[in-house]
Amino acid sequence: MDLQSAGSVVLQALTQATSQNTAELKPAEEQLRQWETQPGFYSVLLSIFNNHLLDVNVRWLAVLYFKNGIDRYWRRVAPHALSEEEKSSLRSGLITNFNEPVNQLASSIYSFACSLWTHHTDTFLLQIHCGDQQEALSSLERTLLSLKVLRKLTVHGFVEPQENMEVMLLDFLEYHPFPFIPLIQRCLEFSVSFVFTAAGDGLLFERFIVQCMNLIKSIVKNEAYRPDKNIEDSKPEVLEAHKIKTAFFTHPTLTEIAKRLVSKYFLLTEEELVMWEEDPEGFAVEETGGDSWKYSLRPCTEVLFLDIFHSYSQTLTPVLLEMMQNLQGEIFCFSVLFLFVVYNAVGLAAYELFDSVDFDQWFNNQLLGELQVTHNRYKLIRRRVIWLIGQWIAVKFKPELRPLLYEVILTLLQDPDLVVSKSHNTVNSFRTEQFLPYLECIFGLLFQLLQQVNECDSKMQVLHVISCVIERVSIQIRPYVGCLVQYLPLLWKQSEDHNMLRCAILTTLIHLVQGLGAESRNLYPFLLPVIQLSTDVSQPPHVYLLEDGLELWLVTLENSPALTPELLRIFQNMSALFELSSENVRTCFQIVNAYTYLSATEFLQNYGEGLCRSFCELLKDITNEGQVQVLKVVEIALKVRPLLAPHLFQPILPSVFRGIIDGERYPVVMSVYLGVIGRVLLQNSSFFTALLSQMALEFNQEMDQLLGNMIEMWVDRMDNITQPERRKLSSLALLSLLPSDNSVIQDKFCGIINICVEALHDVMTEDPDTGTFKDCMLMNGLEEPKLSDDEEPPTEQDKRRKLLALEDPVHTVSLQQCVYEKLKAQQLLMGESGFQALMETVDTEIVRQLQEFLHGF
């Protein structure tokens, strides 16, 4: 797209796209969509929104199209990726635009942003003083915008920020810890004085407290201020910071901070207590899923407590143990709120208190009794106790106490007010054999709870526990999931506007399919449309659902007893997923393999050509690891359908052959190259001959000469192959060239025998009783492996892979016998004297080892 000629056309389309007239709007949007992949389009957009004389709405729309296009096409591996020349041009154009007059379109330089912030702040204060609220609000918005720009520039825009005092802001500590060292003492004194002494009483507001706590936390846990174990190896700046911290955080200071955190900031407010009484589920959701810890006081307080306790555990452990000691005795002697805050602290510090608290004794002597107190005002404590147990159960809890805990959970699960919390650890941290007697009751109560709660976060937490239970008990869940299977479609429909809840449903379905195994086919009327929606990149929800949707797709295939038309049809989503080139591409390869194992002929006939096109595009710009993943998929297809697959993936094979001849330098890539060509040579010799003929024309060599070069490289790079299966495959593939009167093959006979002897060392095991050798890779279809208690039963795909292995020469042909028969056939072809002359080309030690392996034939 030429910048000069296209500028007016694009400008006209953008102008029409801002129109309220749909007759103009729709065609303009369609035209802009078509231009998105045109080279030069984004340079035109840049010139338009840099023109300050144009209508702001048109410029704003140009910015939006520009931003979306950069997100989509900037990466080199993206389809229709921007050229490097255009990228360079766009970078140059962007950094010249620092005089943007419209707030919504602005990036600025530091001094300009500083002056903007100062000006708008002064204007806002003046307007507030004059009572001009409308104008003040406008000034405040501009002040906030300029402050956000300043923050980014301050933290990320200076190589040596310590030389400029204008840039010393709070976020500085995280990104530039050493220049912040002179401020550590003053910051700690200021923050601790206001937040943890009487100096701040009545003066503080929540956001200020949060910022002070974040500042203390950042100083306490900053790794840059932590000396090396060998003090002498530490930098002087590190030692200086450590000295300041050590001098400040004395025993009395730490004690006072810890006590105030627990007794003041852990306390529930009146508002929270009222909410607990009136809306316990809402309270639980607010407590567990509210704002991030940076902006909410309670999570911020807990994080600071954890960080300080972890850094100064020797000082603070006795302080917390003293609080626990004060709780011994009749439980009603203490304030409910005091119990709550101490239990909260002990739960948070569980890992630090491991060696200091006999939790089993505490559970038996006090906590168990508190869980049985039914007084209404004690609900708060029962809930905190079950949460506390959840914190400790993975840290220190005797297995023999777990059945007693399950009995308690059965009672608590009947009260939704108590169980909707972060206490799910008490359920999902269990030993399966101990849990099975309670499975039916607890699973039924969990299902009831899932129906009873209203908040999305509550349903997500219950689904998480259900998923954990299903995952742990595996196939033993089958008798109890009927109601859940019937309810999930309704919940999916109700959660149309709640993608995170749908993610939780997808996770539950993953574990449910794994638990049901082949019986999961009964879920297909619900399951397959869910997979279809979750993995369709043209549907907006895929942004949230794709990762879990792909995992569900994979486990559905792995547990499917047979391929259905509907299951096959979903693969239409895959080509767009490969174009996306996301971090989920590995799962996409696994899905392709699963289809191949499930019904290779039907799958490859329907999608093989399209799959090959996708692979060819991927291989144009992909990492070595990605290349290996692609070719492993091809290798599996060649193994499963050796006559069909080479024709479908024919466009890929010349580059593989070329890589072998050129001596691919990355061992893992070379290994898979040899595996792919080895499959073709061993299981489809006629196609290999055709491929060799094609490559001979490309290299302008005789076929025999090229074959000799390939064998020579194969022998030379055999050490690149580390998997025994692939090493045996190489031996069988090269042995398939024998017997032969071809002089080139006979010239490479020594190398072929060397490879075979190496592979025999890999796969042959000696029977200590008889002294004979046996190929350990041979498989017997009658053998059924015995499963231990910890092993999962085989999936349908596991069964299919075993059946396919029984047709694979690597697992059905004895390498020992194959070598013997091929040598015997070569001897018959050449005669005794000719064969002896050929064997004399092989190293005598190799011959001796070969004779030892063939002893008895």
Side-chain angles (χ1 to χ4, degrees), residues 793-829:
T795 64
E796 295 300 303
Q797 179 162 300
D798 293 332
K799 298 173 185 176
R800 287 189 285 270
R801 291 177 66 175
K802 182 176 180 180
L803 290 174
L804 289 168
L806 295 175
E807 301 174 5
D808 183 356
V810 172
H811 296 293
T812 57
V813 174
S814 165
L815 180 59
Q816 181 188 33
Q817 185 169 349
C818 182
V819 171
Y820 172 79
E821 291 176 353
K822 290 293 185 177
L823 290 178
K824 197 69 176 176
Q826 188 70 33
Q827 184 181 31
L828 290 174
L829 178 67

Side-chain angles (χ1 to χ4, degrees), residues 71 124 197 252 259 269 284 322 344 350 439 488 516 558 615 691:
D71 289 343
F124 163 71
T197 72
K259 286 184 175 180
T269 65
E322 182 183 354
N344 200 40
L439 174 60
L488 285 178
L516 291 173
E558 289 174 341
F615 284 176
L691 177 63

Side-chain angles (χ1 to χ4, degrees), residues 36 53 62 105 216 298 362 421 427 515 674 740 758 776 801:
E36 285 180 1
L53 299 178
L105 306 179
I216 298 169
R298 183 168 301 283
W362 195 32
S421 69
V427 176
L674 295 172
S740 175
E758 283 187 33
C776 67
R801 291 177 66 175

Side-chain angles (χ1 to χ4, degrees), residues 33 36-37 42 64-82 579-580:
R33 188 187 65 78
E36 285 180 1
T37 57
Y42 297 97
L64 291 178
Y65 273 96
F66 184 86
K67 175 186 178 299
N68 292 337
I70 294 301
D71 289 343
R72 204 170 291 155
Y73 305 115
W74 190 266
R75 291 179 302 165
R76 288 187 303 112
V77 296
H80 312 295
L82 295 171
E579 288 180 13
L580 198 62

Side-chain angles (χ1 to χ4, degrees), residues 357-616:
V357 174
D358 186 343
F359 188 78
D360 298 324
Q361 183 182 20
W362 195 32
F363 172 79
N364 273 318
N365 294 347
Q366 184 158 347
L367 299 181
L368 193 58
E370 299 200 359
L371 286 174
Q372 296 166 350
V373 177
T374 58
H375 194 283
N376 188 56
R377 74 182 181 94
Y378 222 72
K379 279 185 177 181
L380 186 67
I381 297 304
R382 294 207 304 277
R383 181 170 172 271
R384 189 51 42 175
V385 168
I386 199 67
W387 169 86
L388 170 64
I389 295 170
Q391 295 294 105
W392 274 87
I393 196 169
V395 178
K396 191 176 187 181
F397 196 72
K398 285 183 179 177
E400 52 265 32
L401 292 176
R402 290 172 187 258
L404 184 58
L405 178 60
Y406 300 147
E407 296 283 354
V408 174
I409 290 173
L410 278 174
T411 303
L412 296 179
L413 275 172
Q414 298 174 55
D415 187 347
D417 290 357
L418 294 175
V419 294
V420 185
S421 69
K422 290 193 287 189
S423 59
H424 54 253
N425 284 348
T426 55
V427 176
N428 64 36
S429 179
F430 60 79
R431 294 189 176 183
T432 305
E433 69 279 4
Q434 290 181 316
F435 186 76
L436 287 178
Y438 306 92
L439 174 60
E440 182 176 5
C441 291
I442 288 182
F443 194 82
L445 289 169
L446 283 171
F447 174 65
Q448 289 180 25
L449 182 64
L450 179 62
Q451 294 176 294
Q452 291 168 357
V453 295
N454 299 310
E455 298 280 351
C456 279
D457 282 11
S458 301
K459 289 186 180 291
M460 287 167 59
Q461 290 189 42
V462 178
L463 281 171
H464 172 72
V465 178
I466 288 175
S467 297
C468 290
V469 171
I470 296 174
E471 181 183 20
R472 295 296 294 273
V473 303
S474 187
I475 61 174
Q476 295 171 97
I477 197 65
R478 293 177 183 178
Y480 314 118
V481 296
C483 292
L484 178 65
V485 166
Q486 293 177 17
Y487 176 65
L488 285 178
L490 174 62
L491 184 58
W492 179 265
K493 185 176 181 180
Q494 292 173 341
S495 61
E496 186 173 0
D497 297 325
H498 303 281
N499 287 309
M500 297 312 294
L501 177 54
R502 284 195 160 185
C503 287
I505 297 172
L506 288 173
T507 302
T508 303
L509 285 171
I510 289 168
H511 295 302
L512 194 56
V513 169
Q514 290 171 325
L516 291 173
E519 294 179 18
S520 61
R521 65 184 180 277
N522 298 323
L523 297 178
Y524 283 5
F526 166 55
L527 197 61
L528 301 189
V530 166
I531 297 173
Q532 168 70 39
L533 173 69
S534 304
T535 60
D536 184 350
V537 297
S538 68
Q539 299 293 326
H542 90 273
V543 176
Y544 304 93
L545 307 179
L546 180 58
E547 184 175 354
D548 293 317
L550 286 172
E551 188 66 27
L552 178 59
W553 191 358
L554 177 60
V555 300
T556 299
L557 289 166
E558 289 174 341
N559 290 277
S560 177
L563 183 64
T564 67
E566 296 79 13
L567 189 53
L568 180 62
R569 196 176 301 121
I570 297 176
F571 197 80
Q572 294 173 356
N573 287 355
M574 187 57 74
S575 61
L577 289 168
F578 280 130
E579 288 180 13
L580 198 62
S581 294
S582 69
E583 63 275 8
N584 297 306
V585 71
R586 184 184 294 271
T587 309
C588 293
F589 290 141
Q590 292 176 308
I591 288 170
V592 174
N593 289 340
Y595 273 106
T596 304
Y597 286 126
L598 182 57
S599 183
T601 301
E602 189 175 359
F603 169 62
L604 292 174
Q605 285 177 344
N606 279 275
Y607 292 106
E609 291 183 3
L611 191 60
C612 183
R613 286 194 296 272
S614 295
F615 284 176
C616 287

